[in-house]
Amino acid sequence: MSMRKVCLELTDACNLNCTMCYRHSWIEKTQHMPKEMVERILTQIEGIESIDEIVVGGIGEPSIHPQIIEVLERLKSYKVSLTTNAVSLTESMREAIVEYVDQLVISIDGLAQHFYEIRGISLEGVLEQVKLINELKKKQSNQSLQLIFQMVLSATNKEDVFGIIDLASEYGVSQLIISNILPVSLEDSDLCLYSISANEQMAKYYDQVRIYAIRRGLAIRLSENRLKTERRCRFVDNDTIVINAHGKIAPCYRFAHEGTEVVFGRLKTIQAHTFGDVLEEDLESIWHSKAYTDYRYMVYNNHYPSCTDCDLVDGCDMVSDTYGDCYGNAPSCGDCLWVRNLVYCI
């Protein structure tokens, strides 16, 4: 299969320090992608005919990268999604968004009080940015830019969802994406609302959210609230490549950085797993390498164990990290909550 989608992490640094961020478990230093690396990547993307979609995002905040406007302009012929906390968008940045971006995904993790507790800033400032973008859209008669709110759901902000739906409807947002929290420490594992078995209370809550969103004219995308058998990797299914801020090629966001995660009460070490470096090889050579091709085949065909609901999980040493699994695969995807749609990324 050909590469169709690129997730470009211009930076893994951020202008915020949110309480639930993956970066709290990192030991690596954050950085902006260097200018020469950005140029090399953009030139290669432009030379690959099969690519039609770019997500400018990742774990960091792309709007703080010094070349962000230049990058968006270079990518204007593609379907471009930009993920942002929308905290410090300048006038020129807003103009570039309206002119070059197809989907603007803005993180809204709660109403005023919870938003401040999670992000350390006021929600009003973010909503003002949305208002200014809408005014610019109207001024330029731009109907193509889609505004999307994205929310990380936990026990602390569960009751804010209905108010966020109201805000989305009020501010011309067309879609709300709700992903479950993926804790990086055992202390935060109690914040999870999803479970292994069926949860009637959460199922009822999800139904209420869906109905409320539909009545407000809002499309909504909900992660699962319990473990289900089906396993699909959106990165592999959509022929996606992830380029992290250090120029390494990862198969997904999960393997783009070292860190930790908690999977149903078990602390797990995540080892970064990459298939190449853009400064040493070109994107297509990395994509078609045997190691990367074999990995995608394994994931697409579900040739890996289901660790999460395995009878032996409590006594298995292999689930403590992502180094490998009992089928001999490396890295291990057996505990991945993204493939279960419990955690979701654009």
Side-chain angles (χ1 to χ4, degrees):
M1 296 296 292
S2 299
M3 188 190 323
R4 293 190 293 118
K5 183 176 178 179
V6 176
C7 295
L8 180 58
E9 185 183 70
L10 289 176
T11 181
D12 53 17
C14 191
N15 50 3
L16 296 179
N17 189 29
C18 301
T19 58
M20 75 296 190
C21 183
Y22 306 127
R23 292 184 300 119
H24 289 300
S25 69
W26 289 6
I27 57 173
E28 62 188 87
K29 292 183 178 179
T30 59
Q31 72 167 45
H32 292 334
M33 186 177 282
K35 184 174 183 179
E36 63 273 15
M37 186 183 292
V38 173
E39 177 59 34
R40 179 174 171 83
I41 291 169
L42 293 179
T43 299
Q44 290 191 46
I45 287 175
E46 291 165 347
I48 302 174
E49 293 184 359
S50 58
I51 296 175
D52 56 23
E53 184 176 356
I54 312 288
V55 176
V56 181
I59 307 302
E61 171 51 43
S63 69
I64 66 174
H65 191 280
Q67 288 179 266
I68 179 61
I69 294 177
E70 174 191 342
V71 169
L72 293 179
E73 184 177 8
R74 285 279 295 273
L75 296 174
K76 61 185 177 183
S77 61
Y78 301 90
K79 177 184 177 182
V80 175
S81 299
L82 176 67
T83 65
T84 180
N85 55 38
V87 169
S88 54
L89 302 180
T90 63
E91 182 178 357
S92 57
M93 183 69 204
R94 291 192 294 270
E95 290 174 351
I97 288 171
V98 173
E99 187 169 358
Y100 305 128
V101 173
D102 298 284
Q103 291 185 329
L104 181 66
V105 184
I106 301 170
S107 300
I108 304 285
D109 288 324
L111 297 177
Q113 180 181 346
H114 288 142
F115 187 89
Y116 184 82
E117 290 172 355
I118 293 169
R119 297 188 171 262
I121 58 168
S122 71
L123 176 60
E124 286 72 20
V126 174
L127 295 177
E128 178 63 20
Q129 290 281 8
V130 178
K131 177 184 176 183
L132 292 171
I133 289 171
N134 276 324
E135 290 175 354
L136 195 56
K137 280 182 62 179
K138 184 176 181 180
K139 180 179 178 181
Q140 297 186 7
S141 300
N142 183 326
Q143 301 299 321
S144 61
L145 173 60
Q146 182 185 15
L147 300 182
I148 300 173
F149 280 174
Q150 182 163 275
M151 178 182 186
V152 175
L153 183 68
S154 72
T156 60
N157 61 5
K158 174 186 173 185
E159 299 309 318
D160 288 356
V161 170
F162 301 98
I164 290 174
I165 291 172
D166 290 337
L167 284 177
S169 179
E170 179 184 348
Y171 280 83
V173 174
S174 60
Q175 184 179 163
L176 172 63
I177 298 171
I178 298 181
S179 172
N180 287 300
I181 187 173
L182 180 59
V184 298
S185 68
L186 290 171
E187 291 76 18
D188 289 338
S189 58
D190 289 340
L191 297 176
C192 297
L193 294 172
Y194 50 92
S195 57
I196 290 182
S197 56
N199 185 325
E200 290 186 15
Q201 183 178 359
M202 282 302 298
K204 182 178 180 181
Y205 169 77
Y206 268 37
D207 286 341
Q208 292 172 340
V209 170
R210 288 190 186 94
I211 293 170
Y212 193 80
I214 291 171
R215 288 175 176 172
R216 297 291 279 159
L218 186 69
I220 190 161
R221 189 175 298 172
L222 283 165
S223 298
E224 297 290 347
N225 60 72
R226 66 181 179 91
L227 191 71
K228 291 187 176 180
T229 302
E230 184 180 12
R231 299 187 300 177
R232 299 307 316 170
C233 176
R234 296 181 66 254
F235 292 95
V236 170
D237 286 358
N238 294 333
D239 300 312
T240 304
I241 197 168
V242 176
I243 310 174
N244 74 15
H246 303 264
K248 307 292 185 181
I249 304 302
C252 59
Y253 288 137
R254 186 180 186 230
F255 288 138
H257 298 278
E258 306 280 344
T260 59
E261 65 183 29
V262 179
V263 181
F264 291 109
R266 292 179 284 105
L267 185 65
K268 191 179 192 80
T269 300
I270 308 299
Q271 283 99 358
H273 191 95
T274 58
F275 292 96
D277 188 317
V278 295
L279 294 182
E280 298 174 359
E281 301 176 76
D282 62 80
L283 290 177
E284 284 209 281
S285 294
I286 297 171
W287 176 261
H288 291 295
S289 67
K290 185 178 187 306
Y292 200 176
T293 301
D294 288 349
Y295 171 83
R296 294 196 303 273
Y297 179 88
M298 177 269 294
V299 174
Y300 184 81
N301 290 287
N302 281 297
H303 290 174
Y304 59 98
S306 179
C307 303
T308 317
D309 52 357
C310 175
D311 291 339
L312 304 177
V313 66
D314 292 331
C316 180
D317 291 336
M318 301 192 82
V319 297
S320 63
D321 57 42
T322 58
Y323 181 76
D325 64 36
C326 59
Y327 286 16
N329 299 310
S332 171
C333 297
D335 242 354
C336 181
L337 297 183
W338 276 268
V339 301
R340 303 284 194 167
N341 197 33
L342 288 165
V343 179
Y344 182 89
C345 289
I346 187 72

